[in-house]
Structures are given as C-alpha cells and as structure tokens.
Amino acid sequence: PSPMSSRRAAHAGSWYTSNAASLRRQLAGMFAGVEKEVDGNLRAVIGPHAGIRYSGPTCAAAYKQIDPDRVKRVIILGPSHHVYYSNCVLSTAAAFESPLGRVAVDQAVVGELLRTGLFSPMDRSEDEEEHSIEMHIPFLQFAMGDRPFTIVPIVVGALRGTDEAAFGEALAKYLDDPDTIFAISTDFCHWGSRFRYQFYDPSQGPVHKSIEWLDREGMRILEQQDPGAFAKYLKQYKNTICGRHALSILLHAMKSSGMSSTTKFLAYAQSSQCESMDDSSVSYAAGVVQGVDKST
C-alpha cells in the first residue's frame, strides 16, 4: 500500500463489532457505567486492549476522563505482540480506519519523530496485525465525540532501560503541549501456564487475590512515577504487563518534562477469577496522569 493510504480496522468483526451502530451503543453503555473523575489537565490515559467484551468497561473508565475541548492530538503507545522490534516503530498510514470513521495520523509529528533517528517506519501488514493501538481507537473516537483530532501511533518493541529513557526524553516535549495527551495501551498480569507465568503468594488468599495484590503493587509503584522503582518491581516479580516498556517510556517522559503531575488508577478487573494453578486470566487496569499547576 502507498504510504499515504489508510490502515484497515483489521480486528473489527472479531475483537469488536464492525457494525457502527452496535459499537456506538456498546461504548455508550460502557461509558455510562463509569465515573468522570478527572477535572482539568489530563496528560495521559492508561487502558487495556483485550477483546471489547472483556476489557471494554475498564478501558472506558480511562477514556471517560478525556475533555474533548482540550485535546487535539493523542500519542498512543502500545506493545508489539507478533513481531520482535528492538526499538519503537511508527505507523506509515495516513489514517486509521474504524467502524466509527477515519482518524488522521499526525504526519508532522511522525516526521519529527522519524528525524530523531530513534524510530523506524512500520511495515503495513505488521501494523494491521498488531491490535494494541487499534483497540483504543473506538474508545478515543467515542470520548472525542465530533471533535477533530489526530493520532501518533507508536508500537513499542522490547526495549532496554537506557532505550526507554531515550524514547521518554524524545517524547517529553509533547507531554508539555497542552493540546496533546498520551494513551498507553497495556493489559496487566497474564497469569497461567499458557502464559508461562504463575506467581502465587498464598498469604494473599486465593490465586486471583494474589494476582490482584501483584497488579496493585505495580499500580502503586507507577503512581510514584519513578522509572527505577518500576524497573525494580518488574525485575523482582517478572509481572507479565505487556505494555511495560510503553509505561516505562511514559515514566521517563514525565521525568524529562517540565510538568508536575499525579498518576492515579481508577479501575481494575480480571478476565476471570483464578482459583487453581490450572486456571488462567488477564488483568486490566485504567489509569490517568493529571497535570498539577506548580504555582498552587
């Protein structure tokens, strides 16, 4: 496809409905079921990317916090599930298609990022195979209503800590732009033998409570906004947070930017409640980063 063509909504019809009216209805129900908790300077949202009937309500809890009058651009960072990248890659599409319409990709920012030499352009078939960014688009469209906005889709590879810091520094200036917010697409713990991860602390009670403790510990550390502490947590527990590198980039960007902010998690859910070592589940969390005026 030519670089300026649109990226298809490749997962519509499987991970979520391709019917615009029923998708809008589904999103309306999910948004109605969550609270608007952030008033003021939203800087980032964190939400999951599983099939909409599993993680949709949690994702809505994050996207409900968007004030469409204040947002013109959304930089979306999601992990790569199928292709190994050692850096971050950028979509070369002109726009992302969705059952709810087309969203333009911000070519100016994509160009700026490519010129840093840190990012590579993404192959279109790999772009369409990856679901982590696509699953956030309908939530963003619903939250923005009829307001125009652009996106900067960034797929994050298996970065080393020093690289996370470099990407965070490269993105920090956009965090300082009042018209721009970040969206981090990540699930939390992937637990069970099929994920080759079965951390269990019996002192927490049943398996699902141990998983919840582990995830909440990660959220507590993310709320401290310290990339070193988050790296230490991941090293200690190996929690299978698929967007951990994207979250680390955000932490480094916040550290490099001139902005004061608070991070807060608003919702948490599990795809099912594990009772035995034979079970499996995926955890979902919704969070926000809110700018704090330094003068107050």
Side-chain angles (χ1 to χ4, degrees):
S2 80
M4 296 313 288
S5 62
S6 289
R7 178 200 178 280
R8 292 179 307 124
H11 297 80
S14 51
W15 289 59
Y16 58 105
T17 177
S18 55
N19 179 296
S22 43
L23 180 56
R24 198 168 268 119
R25 254 197 319 278
Q26 201 175 9
L27 288 164
M30 289 172 177
F31 274 73
V34 291
E35 298 297 313
K36 176 93 164 82
E37 301 191 35
V38 171
D39 192 27
N41 184 15
L42 184 70
R43 298 284 80 224
V45 293
I46 298 163
H49 53 239
I52 196 165
R53 63 202 176 91
Y54 297 107
S55 67
T58 307
C59 201
Y63 276 92
K64 175 96 168 201
Q65 312 312 321
I66 287 182
D67 177 352
D69 292 329
R70 297 176 71 147
V71 176
K72 307 247 187 323
R73 181 193 295 126
V74 184
I75 296 178
I76 311 177
L77 292 99
S80 176
H81 287 86
H82 307 288
V83 184
Y84 177 85
Y85 304 110
S86 58
N87 65 338
C88 290
V89 292
L90 292 159
S91 179
T92 59
F96 270 47
E97 298 289 350
S98 139
L100 303 182
R102 176 183 287 177
V103 181
V105 172
D106 197 311
Q107 299 304 322
V109 174
V110 168
E112 278 174 23
L113 294 177
L114 284 172
R115 285 192 292 277
T116 65
L118 289 169
F119 298 81
S120 312
M122 195 179 191
D123 175 85
R124 179 61 53 84
S125 63
E126 293 175 0
D127 189 349
E128 291 185 347
E129 190 185 11
E130 180 52 60
H131 64 273
S132 67
I133 290 173
E134 179 183 334
M135 292 307 297
H136 275 227
I137 302 296
F139 290 90
L140 182 52
Q141 289 174 300
F142 190 86
M144 290 297 292
D146 51 9
R147 306 296 199 291
F149 65 96
T150 59
I151 56 171
V152 180
I154 303 174
V155 172
V156 179
L159 307 180
R160 296 187 303 270
T162 47
D163 296 335
E164 290 169 349
F167 282 104
E169 282 163 29
L171 292 169
K173 69 172 192 176
Y174 303 102
L175 207 49
D176 291 327
D177 172 7
D179 292 338
T180 302
I181 63 167
F182 280 66
I184 308 296
S185 175
T186 184
D187 297 333
F188 271 68
C189 187
H190 297 65
W191 196 93
S193 57
R194 70 192 180 104
F195 300 116
R196 296 190 293 282
Y197 185 77
Q198 291 174 293
F199 168 88
Y200 178 42
D201 175 358
S203 75
Q204 299 299 328
V207 175
H208 65 90
K209 285 287 189 201
S210 167
I211 296 168
E212 178 168 354
W213 174 84
L214 177 71
D215 284 328
R216 290 200 183 275
E217 187 63 9
M219 290 183 250
R220 186 182 68 75
I221 288 164
L222 287 163
E223 288 179 345
Q224 294 170 1
Q225 302 184 335
D226 175 355
F230 186 54
K232 200 172 148 190
Y233 162 83
L234 291 170
K235 197 174 173 189
Q236 183 175 355
Y237 295 107
K238 313 272 188 292
N239 192 1
T240 43
I241 301 171
C242 53
R244 57 191 176 275
H245 298 293
L247 287 164
S248 298
I249 288 174
L250 178 65
L251 294 177
H252 282 288
M254 284 162 24
K255 200 172 158 181
S256 303
S257 105
M259 180 196 68
S260 301
S261 65
T262 56
T263 302
K264 186 183 176 197
F265 281 87
L266 308 173
Y268 176 77
Q270 295 171 348
S271 58
S272 60
Q273 293 203 325
C274 294
E275 300 289 348
S276 84
M277 299 308 275
D278 299 328
D279 295 337
S280 74
S281 70
V282 179
S283 308
Y284 314 121
V288 288
V289 177
Q290 197 174 353
V292 178
D293 184 4
K294 280 186 172 158
S295 61
T296 50

